[in-house]
Amino acid sequence: HAQNFFHPYVSHKANHIQARWAYLNDIDTEMKTIKKMMSNYSRLLALCSLLCLLHSPLSSQTIINRTGLGDCELTFEDNFDGTALKIDKWQYRTDSKHWSTQLPENVEVKNGYLYLNVKKQTANGMNYTGAGVISKPVYKFGYYESRFKIPAGNGWHTSFWMMGYDGSGGTSTTNAYQELDVCENDSKNYLSYSTNVHNWLGTHTSVNAANVNTPDLRADFHTWGCEFTPSFVKFYFEGNLVRTVDVSKQALNDNNIWLTTLGSSLGGTTAIDDTQLPSAAVIDYVRYYKQLNPVFPETNPSDTSKVVPNATNPQIIIDNTDAACTFDAPWTVSTYNTGFYGTNYANDGTAADDPAKWAKWTPLVPADAYYNIFMRWTAGANRPSAVPLEIQHGEGNTTTKVDQTINNASWRFLGNFLLLKGSGSYVKISASALGFTVADAVLFEQTPIKTGVEPQTAATQFQITSNASNNKMVATFEIQDKAEITLQVYNASGILVNDVLNGKVLESGMQSFLLTNSAMNKGFYIAVLKLNGKQIVCQRFLL
């Protein structure tokens, strides 16, 4: 605009000087004036350019490297330029929840920011209105980041989080496996926020909220981030790691990205501060980077439907009448409620809680492998709503709870676990909750293990063997000619854990190299062999 403004004026001055040239011989004064004007014009253009750069958000890198993820590629980004929400990227949150109704008209894009406006306004029986947007694309493993500030005044719950969306307008968990709460802030507590991870498949569980202390979240923008892998979720604030959560034992699936703010009593809030309204949560940008490093075929189930047993996979089913199902003492056998597996089911015989009573299902596992574990029961109103479970597996001991008042006569998914060969693994139920605890059947389904081994024309006899005395894994292979060899080991999150060889030139013949090191714990890994820069072997092994 500066150029359009000055150009006609400069042209006019030039014409004026030409006219004077015909009448005057000395134009030195006028030429100096023109030169000064042009100098000022150049300075003005430079200033305008600088102001534009200062106003624009910093450009993001297409490829970034995260310590916990390796190289990640920018896949989704919105810097909220323009004057309207990009409908190819976002949909609106439209539910009525807690103290407010979320309205599309409260979503505003201006000045390079997304405004989630909050107001004292009657809508759908609520006295306040909030706002929220949910990404249309879905994403999974990688790095999520957003920069924003919270509304002024008490009473607003502002969140940046990831969870599957079912199109209902709100937070129904029909399409959710997990929920990753990167930031949950209640504006009453403007010097802190919380993180959490929920499992919504089967019985709802969470790792519980953990608070992070911060500067004033109302006064300025701050940056939140989240690394999501098959093994862990890591939460970041201003680039600093604030929490790590193990998610290796729960089913994981795609996420929508949510940015929302609504009126709520959460965080001990007693009322909304009307004196600060209208206000807004203001978002600078949101980004998602997809993890590019090699990642194992997932050990956790992942599809667009709820996890159910797959009859094509090897299965072990233990009923309450089988010898592999044991009890602390004989339980009551019944057929009163329909939907049981086999000929009957057992219950603990009392509606009182009795921690001393237990039932245990112990499979005879034919080989080390990961298994989906499912449990079945006959549901009823007189059942416990939070039956404690203990799952002993190859990587430790996991506790969870199931709700036996619901999900009658169906296999309910408990998680995916490494089970070691033999009879050392089990599922154990405790009758320590109020209600008749039911022991029916447990199903163990082996997860298919895929190994991507390409035709080995240049490297033959690739084998991974274990030294029984120290559990060290050794790779042996033969190369036919002198070649540049790279041999690397990645863990289940696609992170390089052992750079065995990196572009080393080897002579022809048989080769043998140690794949394991002290940093590698029990679990699955993948060995990648490259010959002259070309990957020829990608093989999975269990440590």
Side-chain angles (χ1 to χ4, degrees):
H1 293 299
Q3 185 176 8
N4 293 336
F5 174 77
F6 275 99
H7 179 69
Y9 181 66
V10 174
S11 299
H12 169 73
K13 291 296 291 183
N15 292 335
H16 179 62
I17 290 169
Q18 288 178 355
R20 292 196 61 181
W21 177 264
Y23 299 99
L24 300 173
N25 292 324
D26 185 7
I27 62 167
D28 182 63
T29 302
E30 289 290 344
M31 288 303 295
K32 288 179 179 178
T33 302
I34 293 294
K35 288 179 180 179
K36 184 178 181 180
M37 185 190 308
M38 293 300 292
S39 176
N40 290 339
Y41 166 55
S42 298
R43 291 174 184 172
L44 180 60
L45 285 180
L47 179 60
C48 289
S49 298
L50 178 60
L51 288 174
C52 289
L53 286 174
L54 289 174
H55 174 74
S56 300
L58 295 176
S59 60
S60 54
Q61 296 174 276
T62 303
I63 302 291
I64 62 171
N65 186 274
R66 305 282 307 177
T67 302
L69 296 171
D71 286 341
C72 299
E73 182 178 27
L74 183 63
T75 304
F76 178 91
E77 179 179 31
D78 199 340
N79 294 307
F80 303 108
D81 301 319
T83 58
L85 189 70
K86 297 179 177 68
I87 59 173
D88 60 324
K89 292 185 175 183
W90 300 100
Q91 51 208 325
Y92 298 100
R93 180 172 179 175
T94 57
D95 62 339
S96 297
K97 188 172 184 178
H98 297 184
W99 290 344
S100 66
T101 295
Q102 285 49 258
L103 299 178
E105 51 264 39
N106 281 7
V107 176
E108 186 178 15
V109 176
K110 63 180 180 180
N111 304 323
Y113 299 106
L114 170 69
Y115 291 80
L116 301 179
N117 293 300
V118 294
K119 304 174 183 178
K120 184 173 177 58
Q121 176 186 14
T122 302
N124 198 28
M126 301 289 187
N127 294 323
Y128 298 91
T129 60
V133 294
I134 309 158
S135 70
K136 286 185 176 179
V138 294
Y139 303 105
K140 200 171 185 183
F141 301 129
Y143 177 65
Y144 300 79
E145 184 178 274
S146 184
R147 182 174 182 265
F148 56 92
K149 61 180 178 180
I150 68 170
N154 293 353
W156 299 101
H157 183 79
T158 302
S159 302
F160 164 44
W161 48 302
M162 280 73 72
M163 186 179 81
Y165 177 57
D166 65 358
S168 63
T171 55
S172 167
T173 58
T174 303
N175 200 37
Y177 276 54
Q178 73 286 325
E179 175 185 336
L180 312 178
D181 295 321
V182 189
C183 169
E184 287 192 281
N185 169 263
D186 299 297
S187 56
K188 174 187 176 183
N189 308 310
Y190 54 86
L191 296 177
S192 69
Y193 72 96
S194 67
T195 64
N196 207 345
V197 173
H198 296 260
N199 166 58
W200 289 109
L201 197 64
T203 300
H204 167 243
T205 59
S206 79
V207 297
N208 297 321
N211 281 341
V212 179
N213 294 326
T214 66
D216 189 340
L217 297 177
R218 306 165 303 179
D220 204 354
F221 290 90
H222 297 279
T223 303
W224 286 263
C226 169
E227 292 178 352
F228 180 34
T229 81
S231 300
F232 60 79
V233 174
K234 291 186 176 181
F235 296 109
Y236 294 84
F237 179 72
E238 300 291 23
N240 298 311
L241 178 65
V242 295
R243 189 182 190 186
T244 300
V245 176
D246 180 1
V247 294
S248 60
K249 303 304 180 297
Q250 68 180 77
L252 306 171
N253 206 352
D254 296 335
N255 295 295
N256 299 83
I257 302 171
W258 299 61
L259 297 164
T260 69
T261 186
L262 68 156
S264 176
S265 60
L266 294 173
T269 306
T270 57
I272 292 177
D273 184 357
D274 291 354
T275 66
Q276 297 295 319
L277 298 179
S279 185
V282 186
I283 291 87
D284 184 12
Y285 67 80
V286 61
R287 297 170 187 151
Y288 164 73
Y289 294 83
K290 180 179 180 180
Q291 185 181 20
L292 294 181
N293 279 354
V295 180
F296 279 134
E298 292 175 41
T299 57
N300 284 329
S302 176
D303 53 29
T304 57
S305 62
K306 296 298 184 185
V307 177
V308 295
N310 185 342
T312 64
N313 295 329
Q315 294 181 347
I316 302 170
I317 301 178
I318 302 176
D319 192 22
N320 62 288
T321 58
D322 295 330
C325 181
T326 55
F327 300 86
D328 63 291
W331 280 29
T332 302
V333 175
S334 177
T335 58
Y336 184 81
N337 291 81
T338 60
F340 50 83
Y341 182 86
T343 57
N344 57 44
Y345 64 92
N347 67 69
D348 65 335
T350 176
D353 58 317
D354 189 351
K357 284 181 170 285
W358 54 262
K360 184 166 67 172
W361 296 259
T362 305
L364 181 60
V365 179
D368 296 349
Y370 275 91
Y371 283 78
N372 295 339
I373 302 181
F374 302 84
M375 176 172 277
R376 185 174 177 134
W377 57 82
T378 57
N382 63 348
R383 309 292 194 234
S385 60
V387 183
L389 287 182
E390 175 189 347
I391 303 171
Q392 180 67 37
H393 50 86
E395 296 170 294
N397 187 277
T398 297
T399 58
T400 186
K401 295 180 180 180
V402 295
D403 184 352
Q404 292 193 339
T405 66
I406 59 175
N407 300 318
N408 183 62
S410 60
W411 291 110
R412 305 309 300 172
F413 179 69
L414 302 180
N416 185 269
F417 301 90
L418 173 65
L419 303 186
L420 303 181
K421 181 178 179 179
S423 56
S425 302
Y426 60 79
V427 175
K428 184 178 181 180
I429 197 169
S430 170
S432 59
L434 293 175
F436 288 88
T437 302
V438 172
D440 188 8
V442 175
L443 185 153
F444 303 84
E445 176 193 338
Q446 185 174 334
T447 301
I449 300 174
K450 301 176 182 178
T451 56
V453 183
E454 299 183 12
Q456 300 176 30
T457 56
T460 60
Q461 303 179 34
F462 185 89
Q463 293 184 359
I464 298 176
T465 57
S466 173
N467 184 323
S469 63
N470 57 16
N471 201 32
K472 299 293 184 182
M473 309 301 293
V474 176
T476 57
F477 55 94
E478 181 181 13
I479 54 175
Q480 298 171 359
D481 300 297
K482 183 178 180 179
E484 181 184 274
I485 300 297
T486 295
L487 178 60
Q488 297 173 315
V489 179
Y490 294 85
N491 68 11
S493 299
I495 300 170
L496 181 66
V497 293
N498 195 358
D499 199 4
V500 183
L501 298 171
N502 197 335
K504 184 179 177 71
V505 176
L506 301 179
E507 300 294 333
S508 61
M510 291 298 299
Q511 313 291 334
S512 179
F513 294 95
L514 181 66
L515 295 179
T516 48
N517 58 32
S518 59
M520 296 168 61
N521 300 316
K522 185 180 297 183
F524 275 114
Y525 293 87
I526 191 167
V528 176
L529 178 68
K530 296 179 182 179
L531 186 144
N532 294 327
K534 180 183 178 181
Q535 180 175 306
I536 59 172
V537 175
C538 179
Q539 186 163 320
R540 187 173 177 168
F541 65 91
L542 175 67
L543 178 62

